[in-house]
Structures are given as C-alpha cells and as structure tokens.
Amino acid sequence: MASAASDEIDILEKAKRLLAEDYVPSEDEDYMNERQQTYFRMLLIEWKRSIHSAAGQTLQSLADGPLREADLTDRASSETDWGIELRTRDRQRKLVSKIDAALRRLDEGEYGYCEVSGDPIGLRRLIARPVATMTVEAQEAHERREKISRDD
C-alpha cells in the first residue's frame, strides 16, 4: 500500500491535471483575482471529491466482508494493511475539514492571506498546498514555537 503522504500527492496531482488544462495562476496577475479564486476553488473541490471517492472505495471493500486468510501470517499482514488504510482515511477525513475551511476562506475573501500576518501566502505555496493558512515564514516560526514548547 502507498504511504499516506504519497497518496495525498497523487490525489493533488490528479486534481491539478484536471484543472490546469489552459490556466495556471501567474505572478503577473493581481493576487487572488477572481480567476485565481475560481482556480483554487475548483482545485479544492476536486481534491475533496477525490478523497470522498477513495473513502467510498475503502468502505465498499470493508463491506464486502472480512478477510479470511488461512495462514496466520497472511491474516496478520492483511490486518496490518487494513490498519494502514484506515489511518490513511482518517488523515484524509481531517484533510477534508481543512479543505472545507479553505473554501470558507475563499467565500469570505480571506483565502491566500496569512492568518498570522495578513501577508499574501504566495501562489507557489498555495499551488503546492492549497490548504495553507500561513506564509512559509509564519509557518516556520509556528513550528519553532511548537518545538520549544514540546521540549519543555
């Protein structure tokens, strides 16, 4: 089974291919203009649909019945695989709430701006991680504070 991170990257890349046929946000445009907002809205919606589709496939597999492996080692391996699959779906469930929050920010006109400083997050960062809420600098500062408080 693919790791959760590569699974998310594959889903995001698929959404980008579907949406970026003739338009990619550019630094030459006004930041977060209507066209860019539409691009990110469609990207987020497609990403969310892909996650729901994958979750539906997992549920269907679970509904098809329990695995009855004859060999104890095969059974343990299958159960481990299912555990990984369910953890991946749980991570994606949390990601869906971040996608919903990003869509709300789009509706409110706050998408693309750092929640800490109010500065533009940047197109390259948003294309790489459409649910980003902070600039790279603010995120790094947040992670440093988090690490310091964990170390105490």
Side-chain angles (χ1 to χ4, degrees):
M1 288 196 179
S3 71
S6 67
D7 195 27
E8 289 177 13
I9 290 169
D10 291 343
I11 290 169
L12 184 55
E13 288 303 316
K14 177 185 171 200
K16 285 180 186 175
R17 281 193 305 275
L18 290 172
L19 299 171
E21 292 175 359
D22 62 352
Y23 174 72
V24 176
S26 166
E27 301 288 339
D28 299 335
E29 305 172 88
D30 289 335
Y31 187 71
M32 279 301 124
N33 62 42
E34 186 175 341
R35 196 169 183 197
Q36 288 178 358
Q37 289 179 22
T38 301
Y39 173 85
F40 285 110
R41 181 180 311 281
M42 291 184 67
L43 181 65
L44 289 162
I45 289 169
E46 184 59 35
W47 195 8
K48 184 176 173 180
R49 278 190 197 135
S50 297
I51 291 169
H52 282 293
S53 173
Q57 291 169 359
T58 298
L59 284 174
Q60 185 60 44
S61 295
L62 285 171
D64 288 344
L67 296 174
R68 300 206 190 283
E69 304 287 348
D71 183 54
L72 192 58
T73 305
D74 289 342
R75 187 177 316 153
S77 178
S78 294
E79 288 176 9
T80 300
D81 289 347
W82 275 113
I84 292 168
E85 180 75 14
L86 292 173
R87 281 193 303 277
T88 299
R89 296 301 162 230
D90 188 50
R91 285 189 71 211
Q92 289 180 341
R93 178 186 56 79
K94 294 172 186 171
L95 181 58
V96 167
S97 67
K98 290 180 180 182
I99 292 170
D100 288 339
L103 290 168
R104 274 192 303 279
R105 287 192 308 277
L106 266 164
D107 292 340
E108 296 165 2
E110 298 171 0
Y111 184 80
Y113 295 93
C114 181
E115 65 184 16
V116 175
S117 66
D119 294 335
I121 291 173
L123 293 175
R124 289 188 302 170
R125 178 161 167 76
L126 289 172
I127 289 170
R129 187 71 175 161
V131 295
T133 60
M134 291 185 256
T135 62
V136 172
E137 296 80 12
Q139 183 69 41
E140 287 172 347
H142 172 75
E143 289 172 5
R144 278 193 302 274
R145 285 189 305 273
E146 210 172 60
K147 183 181 183 318
I148 289 169
S149 66
R150 248 184 310 179
D151 291 344
D152 290 343

